[in-house]
Every structure is written in structure tokens, then in C-alpha cells.
Amino acid sequence: MYVKQLAKTMKVTQDTVRHYTRVKLLNPIRSESNGYQIYTTYDQQRLKFIISARQLGFSIKDIQQIVAESEQGNCPCPLTRKIITKRLAETEQLFQETLKLRTRMQAAAKQWQNSDNAVASADVCSLIETFIDPLNEQVNTEEAK
């Protein structure tokens, strides 16, 4: 099947198929008659694997490592567990940082709810300049110093 057919079958864009081909995760054969790339059932299975891995948060580099491990005849499951544990820790850290940001944003919205619009601010916006971060108990401008 050609790029267009594989993309349609797997419900991705043609650019997605081409990208995974460029990074050598898909290895189509070249048609001798017209030079087009022809994707096999194996490529379709590989693309399904790639899509699933990406949905789990694996990076292209992660997927390349897992595929390489498999292609060397090794079971990639131990490596996969190691990588997902690392990605989970990174996601948890990002989640915690996002929760802190949400708390700061909620506090700012509450602080600013009844504030005047001070047009004559010495800097840019008095709301931001005088914001007290409830997580750090300091004026926001102190962070920048």
C-alpha cells in the first residue's frame, strides 16, 4: 500500500507516515516501476505499535530504542518498563508543577477580582507587579531578581 492508503487505514496523516519513515521506524520498499514507497502489512503493524507507544508518552527516541532492542533479538520489555517508569516520574513532576501554576493563577484571579485598573503603573501592569504568590508569600517581582 502507498503512503495515502496506510495513512487512511491507520487514521493518521500522510505526513505522520512520512515522518516515521524519515526517522527509520518504518521501512517501506521502493517500487521498481515508479519509485514510490510501498508499505507492507509489517509496516502497518509497526505503525500501530508506534501510535500506541506515542499515546503512552514514549518519545520517538524511546521507540527507536525499544525497536532496536527487539531487532537485536532481545526482549524489549525490561527496557520498556524502565522507560515508562522514567516517563511516569517526569509526567508526575510536570503535573505537580501544573497544579502549583493553577493555584497561583487562581490566587491572582481572586486578588485581582476587585482591584482597580491602575493606568499609571511605573512598569507594565500593576496587577502582575503587585501579585503576592501564595506558594512563596512574596511579591512576584522579587522572583525575577
Side-chain angles (χ1 to χ4, degrees), residues 90-107:
E90 292 168 353
T91 300
E92 183 61 35
Q93 181 180 357
L94 181 59
F95 177 69
Q96 293 304 322
E97 290 169 10
T98 302
L99 286 176
K100 287 177 186 176
L101 175 59
R102 177 177 166 239
T103 299
R104 283 194 296 276
M105 293 171 97
Q106 288 171 331

Side-chain angles (χ1 to χ4, degrees), residues 49 88 100 120 126 131:
F49 167 79
L88 182 58
K100 287 177 186 176
S126 63
F131 172 64

Side-chain angles (χ1 to χ4, degrees), residues 25-37:
L25 284 170
L26 298 176
N27 299 304
I29 56 175
R30 287 265 178 208
S31 169
E32 291 181 21
S33 63
N34 60 17
Y36 290 172
Q37 294 178 324

Side-chain angles (χ1 to χ4, degrees), residues 80-93:
T80 302
R81 284 186 193 96
K82 180 180 174 184
I83 294 171
I84 196 75
T85 300
K86 182 180 177 187
R87 293 290 165 257
L88 182 58
E90 292 168 353
T91 300
E92 183 61 35
Q93 181 180 357

Side-chain angles (χ1 to χ4, degrees), residues 20-62:
Y20 292 134
T21 302
R22 275 192 306 275
V23 297
K24 307 278 190 238
L25 284 170
L26 298 176
N27 299 304
I29 56 175
R30 287 265 178 208
S31 169
E32 291 181 21
S33 63
N34 60 17
Y36 290 172
Q37 294 178 324
I38 300 174
Y39 294 87
T40 64
T41 308
Y42 180 79
D43 292 308
Q44 185 177 345
Q45 291 169 339
R46 174 65 64 86
L47 184 55
K48 183 178 178 184
F49 167 79
I50 294 166
I51 292 167
S52 295
R54 294 292 288 153
Q55 289 173 341
L56 285 167
F58 288 97
S59 69
I60 300 294
K61 183 180 174 187
D62 295 337

Side-chain angles (χ1 to χ4, degrees), residues 35 56 63 65 75 95 111 132-133:
L56 285 167
I63 296 167
Q65 289 177 312
C75 176
F95 177 69
Q111 284 178 27
I132 308 251
D133 184 346

